[in-house]
């Protein structure tokens, strides 16, 4: 017979697995028999909070406090819950009570936070009182960086110096101080105390990881190189972090050597295989990246996220049929989504076809990410009475774009820490009628939330192809991305808008200059895309274009990536195969401001779109700067984005369908200086007057599509392709 302790342990396991609803139900049964079980109330509070039921969580914490007002941990848990619910004053009171019972207990760190963020005099007094305790207990001291995040820079530097003074021979004190101090002071401290770190080699990894996180690439390389020399040969993570340091220093060639050492030590380690795949993909080696991702995906213990990484990498592969791609998504669906379908959350919507509809946006990308930027016009111009927006944010940073999106939202919920089932239950509780799940298989977007069918109708937006989920009804697209008769295989039905993607005018951008060929007499082709998108066939085609246009050159820029020898070597290999002198490659590799990045377009005559993964943001930027772009439209979503911009502008002749026609189009355009001048003179105005910037029309078309889908649903009809033509 199971004891209460056994049941509580099982409940903890359920919570750890994200099954908070089951855990809460189990604990409710325990409390029905044992209402004085304080630990059960505390566990149920945790399950309720993680499952998106904060009020119920607080009620359980209060009950636990009433039962055991003499236990510091119980009072601390109440303080944490109050702080999570936006009650800092009440939380502070709870932390004070908890610390009074246990001066070195769990509430000491949050009290440090309050002390460090008060007025200087009071905060300083409180800080020194706390240090009287911290000086005799180093582990408590090491928790200070998390408590001091909001303190002033000067106070954090002083706190860092105190850390090292109190425990000068503890490597963790040096690392704690470095986390607290300003970047300059922290780097100086680590370098001056390198003797201590070298005597404790395991601390070199921690210091190297800190340097990586803070973008101190040179220091990270020094520390992590020492780590692999001094630690046992089987220390895998030292090689993994060294690979990251080399990559951050734009030496992917050395990063690949380091990660290969890690794989050799443990060939079946999922995290290492994923790291190697990401490094390969970053330099455009999509074939080997895909193979590594798929190898990681089928290691025992691999997660849905591991296979999502493989699915994302396949979008970059040049020799992959539509059927083969779809088969990989089917594997993911059988393995991870199908087991969740029986747990679908039942829907009971009002079947009125004409009532206001609650629209949900589920995304981790609602900030200055391309998804957030592309949805900005829809948020600003949507109908808040007929289609109120509810955002379910799974991550992302606070920035200007996010602030604008928030202002145009009826409800905004930050659910990054909530489990998938809890997010789905929250969406259902809010009565969402039509959910838009963005970029499901990319980082942090958690496609399995939609496996619970949290809304009567769900559409994907911005995923690279099908989501692989039978619970998603539609994919938001347009007639260029998914023309009638498309061969791309989808679980979802196309909901074709006049345009899938819209943009905003690039305010503060440079003026458009005349084509540089007018002055230099030679054509400059350009690409400002991620080198991950540059397939071997793409690079070979570009080399053939340069060979066919005498004296022409290729200008490339994407952050600093093209300065990496591993990236350049792939381009030079194509140049060498086609007899193109390497001096005709011009690399811009600095950290450019937004203005300077856009101004690069004034140094080019013609933009070349990568393939098979075409551009999106980079395409719009080029067109805005009067730079015509040649594209190769393939059969799938990611291969037709640029075409979906060119067709509405009446530039269908720049859309090629084969590599040879791509080459011919680029060469013909290079030989037409009058047309290049006309583009520079009028393309920005054409873009500004086009549907690409008509936010009001876009919002109405999205809402028209939602309404048609809803009416089918209310009529008892299954989802089917929908086209909004005007």
């Amino acid at each position: 017979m199971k004891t209460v302790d056994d049941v509580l342990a099982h409940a903890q396991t359920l919570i750890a697995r994200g099954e908070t609803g089951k855990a809460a139900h189990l604990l409710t049964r325990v409390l029905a028999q044992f209402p004085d079980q304080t630990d059960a109330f505390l566990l149920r509070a945790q399950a309720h909070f993680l499952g998106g039921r904060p009020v119920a969580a607080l009620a359980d914490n209060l009950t636990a406090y009433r039962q055991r007002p003499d236990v510091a941990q119980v009072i601390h848990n109440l303080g944490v819950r109050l702080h999570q619910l936006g009650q800092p004053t009440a939380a502070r009171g709870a932390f004070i009570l908890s610390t009074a019972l246990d001066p070195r207990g769990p509430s000491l760190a949050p009290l440090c936070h309050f002390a460090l963020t008060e007025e200087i005099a009071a905060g300083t007094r409180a800080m020194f009182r706390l240090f009287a305790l911290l000086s005799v207990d180093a582990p408590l001291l090491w928790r200070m960086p998390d408590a001091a995040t909001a303190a002033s820079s000067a106070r954090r530097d002083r706190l860092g110096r105190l850390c090292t003074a109190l425990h000068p021979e503890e490597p963790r004190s040096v690392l704690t101080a470095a986390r607290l101090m300003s970047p300059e002071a922290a780097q100086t401290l680590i370098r001056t105390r390198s003797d201590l770190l070298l005597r404790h080699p395991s601390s070199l990894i921690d210091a190297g990881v800190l340097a990586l996180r803070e973008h101190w690439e040179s220091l990270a390389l020094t520390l992590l190189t020492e780590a692999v020399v001094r630690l046992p040969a089987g220390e895998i993570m030292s090689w993994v972090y060294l690979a990251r340091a080399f990559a951050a220093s734009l030496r992917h060639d050395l990063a690949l050597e380091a990660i290969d050492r890690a794989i050799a030590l443990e060939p079946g380690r999922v995290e290492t295989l994923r790291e190697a795949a990401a490094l390969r993909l970053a330099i455009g080696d999509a074939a080997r990246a895909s193979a590594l991702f798929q190898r990681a995906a089928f290691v025992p213990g691999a997660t849905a996220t591991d296979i999502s990484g493989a699915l994302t990498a396949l979008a970059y592969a040049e020799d992959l049929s539509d059927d083969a791609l779809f088969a990989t998504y089917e594997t993911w669906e059988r393995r991870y989504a199908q087991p969740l379908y029986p747990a679908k959350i039942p829907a009971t919507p009002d079947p009125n076809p004409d009532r206001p509809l609650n629209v949900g946006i589920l995304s981790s990308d609602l900030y200055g990410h391309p998804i957030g930027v592309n949805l900005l016009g829809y948020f600003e111009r949507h109908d808040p009475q007929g289609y109120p927006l509810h955002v379910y944010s799974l991550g992302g940073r606070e920035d200007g774009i996010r602030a604008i999106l928030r202002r145009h939202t009826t409800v905004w919920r930050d659910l990054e820490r909530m489990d998938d089932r809890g997010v789905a239950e929250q969406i259902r509780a809010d009565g969402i009628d039509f959910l838009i799940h963005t970029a499901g298989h990319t980082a942090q977007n958690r496609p399995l939330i939609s496996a619970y069918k949290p809304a009567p109708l769900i559409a994907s937006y911005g995923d690279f192809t099908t989501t692989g989920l039978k619970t998603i009804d539609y994919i938001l697209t347009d007639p260029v991305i998914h023309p009638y008769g498309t061969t791309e295989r989808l679980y979802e039905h196309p909901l074709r808008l006049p345009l899938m993607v819209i943009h905003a005018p690039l305010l503060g951008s440079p003026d458009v200059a005349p084509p540089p060929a007018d002055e230099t007499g030679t054509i400059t082709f350009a690409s400002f895309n991620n080198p991950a998108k540059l397939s071997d066939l793409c690079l070979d085609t570009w080399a053939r274009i340069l060979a066919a246009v005498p004296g022409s050159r290729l200008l490339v820029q994407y952050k600093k990536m093209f300065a990496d020898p591993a990236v350049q070597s792939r381009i030079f290999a194509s140049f060498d195969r086609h007899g193109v002198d390497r001096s005709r490659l011009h690399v811009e590799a600095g950290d450019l401001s937004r203005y300077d990045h856009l101004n690069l377009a004034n140094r080019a005559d013609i933009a070349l779109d990568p393939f098979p993964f075409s551009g999106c943001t980079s395409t719009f930027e080029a067109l805005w700067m009067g730079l015509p772009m040649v594209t190769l439209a393939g059969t799938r979503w990611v291969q037709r984005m640029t075409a979906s911009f060119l067709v509405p502008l009446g530039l269908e002749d720049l859309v090629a369908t084969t590599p040879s026609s791509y080459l011919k189009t680029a060469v013909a355009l290079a030989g037409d200086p009058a047309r290049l001048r006309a583009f520079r003179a009028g393309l920005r105005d054409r873009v500004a007057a086009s549907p690409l910037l008509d936010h009001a029309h876009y919002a109405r078309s999205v809402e028209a599509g939602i309404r048609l889908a809803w009416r089918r649903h209310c009529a008892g009809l299954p989802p089917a392709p929908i086209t909004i033509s005007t």
Side-chain angles (χ1 to χ4, degrees), residues 97-148:
L97 287 174
S98 176
T99 305
L101 290 168
D102 184 357
R104 295 191 182 92
S107 290
L108 183 59
L111 272 184
C112 289
H113 169 83
F114 284 115
L116 288 163
T117 54
E118 289 175 344
E119 295 181 3
I120 292 176
T124 302
R125 286 197 299 271
M127 186 165 66
F128 278 97
R129 285 199 302 272
L130 290 167
F131 262 97
L133 297 172
L134 294 171
S135 62
V136 297
D137 197 338
L140 288 177
L141 181 66
W142 297 331
R143 287 174 11 211
M144 285 301 293
D146 294 331

Side-chain angles (χ1 to χ4, degrees), residues 293-377:
F293 269 125
Q294 292 193 69
R295 182 175 159 191
F298 293 99
V299 168
T303 66
T305 301
D306 297 318
I307 296 192
S308 284
L311 298 178
T312 299
L314 290 175
Y316 296 83
E318 61 184 356
D319 296 321
L320 186 70
S321 70
D322 293 343
D323 287 342
L325 178 64
F326 188 75
T328 308
Y329 278 83
E330 285 184 310
T331 300
W332 177 87
E333 190 265 347
R334 284 194 301 271
R335 190 168 174 181
Y336 296 106
Q338 282 189 15
L340 300 180
Y341 292 160
K344 292 178 188 176
I345 303 169
T348 55
D350 175 3
N352 181 346
D354 299 312
R355 67 174 173 84
L357 298 177
N358 290 320
V359 177
I361 308 288
L362 177 62
S363 180
S364 69
D365 301 323
L366 297 179
Y367 58 102
H369 183 280
I371 291 287
V373 172
N374 293 338
L375 287 173
L376 190 60

Side-chain angles (χ1 to χ4, degrees), residues 171-172 175 196-208 231:
R172 286 191 62 180
L175 299 178
L196 174 63
L197 300 178
L198 291 172
R199 293 198 303 272
H200 300 82
S202 61
S203 67
L204 290 167
I205 294 182
D206 295 330
L231 286 169

Side-chain angles (χ1 to χ4, degrees), residues 182-352:
S182 63
E184 296 77 11
Q187 291 183 74
T188 299
L189 174 65
I190 290 175
R191 292 184 191 281
T192 56
R193 295 308 317 271
S194 60
D195 60 324
L196 174 63
L197 300 178
L198 291 172
R199 293 198 303 272
H200 300 82
S202 61
S203 67
L204 290 167
I205 294 182
D206 295 330
V209 171
L210 171 64
L212 272 177
R213 187 173 67 242
E214 298 298 330
H215 305 291
W216 307 332
E217 287 85 1
S218 176
L219 180 57
L221 274 177
T222 299
L223 294 165
L224 293 166
T225 300
E226 287 287 351
V228 299
V229 170
R230 293 173 181 271
L231 286 169
E235 178 52 61
I236 293 173
M237 291 312 296
S238 63
W239 288 104
V240 172
Y241 288 125
L242 181 61
R244 291 181 185 175
F246 278 129
S249 303
L250 302 176
R251 289 304 306 266
H252 272 78
D253 51 342
L254 299 178
L256 292 170
E257 290 182 17
I259 203 65
D260 285 346
R261 291 287 297 270
I263 292 174
L265 290 170
E266 190 174 342
R269 190 184 179 102
V270 173
E271 298 86 347
T272 311
L273 292 170
R274 288 181 63 188
E275 193 83 26
L279 291 170
R280 290 282 178 190
L281 188 59
I283 62 171
D285 190 355
R288 277 187 278 190
S290 298
L292 284 163
F293 269 125
Q294 292 193 69
R295 182 175 159 191
F298 293 99
V299 168
T303 66
T305 301
D306 297 318
I307 296 192
S308 284
L311 298 178
T312 299
L314 290 175
Y316 296 83
E318 61 184 356
D319 296 321
L320 186 70
S321 70
D322 293 343
D323 287 342
L325 178 64
F326 188 75
T328 308
Y329 278 83
E330 285 184 310
T331 300
W332 177 87
E333 190 265 347
R334 284 194 301 271
R335 190 168 174 181
Y336 296 106
Q338 282 189 15
L340 300 180
Y341 292 160
K344 292 178 188 176
I345 303 169
T348 55
D350 175 3
N352 181 346

Side-chain angles (χ1 to χ4, degrees), residues 395-416:
R397 64 176 182 268
E398 296 295 331
D399 61 11
I401 297 296
R402 195 176 186 90
I404 296 171
L405 294 170
R406 280 185 187 273
R407 286 202 299 270
H408 294 280
T409 302
T410 301
V411 174
W412 183 293
R413 300 191 188 280
D414 291 305
L415 305 180
E416 181 178 2

Side-chain angles (χ1 to χ4, degrees), residues 536-620:
D536 289 341
L537 179 58
C538 173
L539 291 174
D540 277 350
T541 304
W542 288 1
R544 291 171 60 204
I545 290 170
L546 293 182
V549 181
S552 61
R553 63 177 192 161
L554 177 63
L555 171 66
V556 292
Q557 190 267 337
Y558 182 80
K559 302 177 181 177
K560 295 181 179 180
M561 280 298 296
F562 283 101
D564 194 310
V567 175
Q568 290 188 13
S569 69
R570 294 188 61 240
I571 301 175
F572 287 146
S574 291
F575 277 26
D576 294 346
R577 281 194 292 271
H578 296 281
V580 176
D581 193 278
R582 294 186 176 192
S583 65
R584 292 167 70 179
L585 176 68
H586 289 248
V587 173
E588 181 64 55
D591 275 326
L592 301 181
S593 67
R594 177 73 167 162
Y595 182 94
D596 289 337
H597 166 73
L598 292 171
N599 204 32
L600 282 178
N602 281 326
R603 292 169 48 189
D605 299 282
I606 300 167
L608 297 176
D609 195 32
F611 59 86
F613 199 132
S614 70
C616 181
T617 301
S618 58
T619 297
F620 180 78

Side-chain angles (χ1 to χ4, degrees), residues 19 53 251 259 286 381 444 467 616 692:
E19 298 179 49
R53 300 174 292 277
R251 289 304 306 266
I259 203 65
R381 301 305 295 269
Q444 297 184 321
T467 59
C616 181
L692 294 175

